[in-house]
């Protein structure tokens, strides 16, 4: 059976870097489920589908088979669009199978990162972690990431966008961003991502 490690948390909590490092350490597949929502949002915009039309976006979701590898899905605009479409129950339902298939395609194991991996996608995951950090710390990380990619951004705007996205992700009616009851909560505000990775490594025993 495939072993599943779930790493959930808000934008900028460090979950991507940590999930990648843990997957590499364990020799597991790394699955970034945010990239699935981003790929869908990107495809919807390209097809001229309104992000306010849940039925049309859900139909497109049903035909999605892979993650778009283009760096274009990593922009703030697409992140925001992904957050918007992710609040529709029918969109989430249509992406559920794809996320599970991605995780289970590895014979050994997979580290999945997202918002609802431990609560909805793989509630039976062997290990569940939920990373948090203060909005200010997350905005700083996000700003650095955008600057490294050459995207123009300033701290105040990034912080404002991040708070709006948190609000939407936490308050949607379906699969809101909340830790699973049996998840290990880790506040990454005052720790380097190397320290967080080490902490998780120490907790995983195979
Ligand atoms: O992790 P990210 O910032 O790339 O995700 C983009 C958006 O996708 C996020 O704001 C909410 C949505 N998302 C989700 O609802 N469920 C997931 N498992 C992953 C992402």
């Amino acid at each position: 059976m495939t072993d599943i490690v779930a790493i959930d948390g808000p934008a900028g909590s460090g979950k991507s870097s940590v999930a990648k490092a843990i997957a590499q350490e364990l020799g597991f597949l790394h699955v970034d489920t945010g990239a699935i929502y981003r790929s869908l949002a990107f495809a919807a915009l390209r097809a001229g589908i309104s992000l306010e039309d849940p039925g049309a976006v859900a139909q497109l979701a049903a035909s999605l088979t892979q993650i778009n590898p283009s760096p274009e899905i990593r922009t703030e605009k697409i992140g925001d669009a992904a957050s918007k479409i992710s609040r529709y129950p029918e969109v989430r339902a249509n992406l559920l199978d794809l996320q599970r298939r991605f995780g289970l395609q590895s014979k050994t194991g997979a580290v999945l990162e997202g918002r609802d991996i431990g609560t909805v996608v793989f509630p039976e995951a062997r290990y569940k972690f939920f990373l948090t950090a203060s909005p200010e710390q997350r905005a700083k990380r996000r700003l650095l990431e955008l600057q490294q990619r050459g995207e123009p951004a300033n701290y105040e705007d990034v912080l404002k966008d991040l708070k709006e996205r948190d609000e939407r992700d936490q308050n949607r009616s379906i699969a809101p961003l909340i830790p699973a009851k049996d998840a290990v909560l880790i506040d990454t505000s005052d720790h380097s991502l190397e320290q967080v990775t080490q902490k998780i490594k120490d907790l995983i025993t195979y």
Side-chain angles (χ1 to χ4, degrees), residues 11 15 32-35 37-38 74 79 82-83 86 92 99 113-117 165 169 172:
K15 63 182 188 310
D32 171 7
T33 63
Y37 284 89
R38 285 171 181 267
R74 300 290 166 188
S83 167
S86 73
R92 304 198 70 84
Q99 296 175 79
E113 57 159 300
R115 302 288 193 288
D116 60 341
I117 307 302
R165 186 117 73 92
D169 291 352
R172 63 183 175 220

Side-chain angles (χ1 to χ4, degrees), residues 56-182:
V57 181
Q59 207 179 345
L60 191 64
S63 63
L64 194 75
T65 53
Q66 27 182 325
I67 292 173
N68 183 336
S70 156
E72 283 176 273
I73 69 160
R74 300 290 166 188
T75 62
E76 285 299 271
K77 180 182 167 212
I78 298 298
D80 199 54
S83 167
K84 283 186 180 143
I85 58 165
S86 73
R87 70 189 197 275
Y88 303 135
E90 55 272 63
V91 168
R92 304 198 70 84
N94 286 355
L95 290 182
L96 199 54
D97 225 40
L98 183 65
Q99 296 175 79
R100 289 194 177 132
R101 269 190 279 127
F102 269 124
L104 297 174
Q105 77 190 2
S106 164
K107 289 208 168 50
T108 46
V111 179
L112 283 93
E113 57 159 300
R115 302 288 193 288
D116 60 341
I117 307 302
T119 47
V120 177
V121 182
F122 281 111
E124 71 284 15
R126 177 135 166 202
Y127 291 101
K128 297 180 188 178
F129 300 95
F130 192 92
L131 308 190
T132 58
S134 67
E136 290 72 21
Q137 186 60 38
R138 292 190 285 123
K140 272 191 222 155
R141 287 185 191 143
R142 193 87 190 105
L143 183 66
L144 193 70
E145 217 179 282
L146 292 170
Q147 286 169 340
Q148 280 168 348
R149 262 193 263 135
E151 263 198 67
N154 72 66
Y155 175 77
E156 292 308 326
D157 286 347
V158 170
L159 181 63
K160 184 173 160 279
D161 283 356
L162 193 130
K163 285 183 173 169
E164 277 173 19
R165 186 117 73 92
D166 279 0
E167 172 74 19
R168 206 164 37 226
D169 291 352
Q170 280 160 5
N171 295 318
R172 63 183 175 220
S173 56
I174 179 166
L177 175 66
I178 43 157
K181 284 196 180 67
D182 50 349

